[in-house]
Amino acid sequence: MFDYARKIREYRERKFISQQELAKILGVSNVTVCRWETGRYEPDMETKKKLVALFNEIGMKLDD
């Protein structure tokens, strides 16, 4: 299973952006991003596609 919590946090740290900034990019609330990062929830399929595109833009490998 893909660890979205870890990857989302890693993405934000690499881009030096806050949860609120990522939430704005994805069109969700910052509470939602926080819940993803803590592993309480996972993004829906449409948001997962957006996240993968963002990860790919900065060369993040999905399999590490």
Side-chain angles (χ1 to χ4, degrees):
M1 183 174 163
F2 186 72
D3 186 359
Y4 280 93
R6 185 174 58 85
K7 285 297 187 179
I8 291 169
R9 181 175 296 254
E10 180 183 345
Y11 174 80
R12 285 193 320 98
E13 289 172 352
R14 285 189 184 191
K15 292 289 286 184
F16 302 102
I17 63 173
S18 67
Q19 288 178 342
Q20 190 168 15
E21 290 168 314
L22 179 59
K24 187 174 180 178
I25 291 167
L26 296 172
V28 299
S29 73
N30 59 313
V31 173
T32 299
V33 174
C34 179
R35 289 177 178 163
W36 293 338
E37 285 190 5
T38 59
R40 292 177 61 198
Y41 295 94
E42 268 197 16
D44 62 25
M45 188 55 68
E46 195 61 36
T47 306
K48 285 179 180 180
K49 291 177 186 176
K50 291 177 185 178
L51 285 166
V52 169
L54 291 174
F55 298 161
N56 286 332
E57 283 179 10
I58 64 167
M60 278 179 59
K61 294 183 180 183
L62 301 178
D63 55 358
D64 2 329

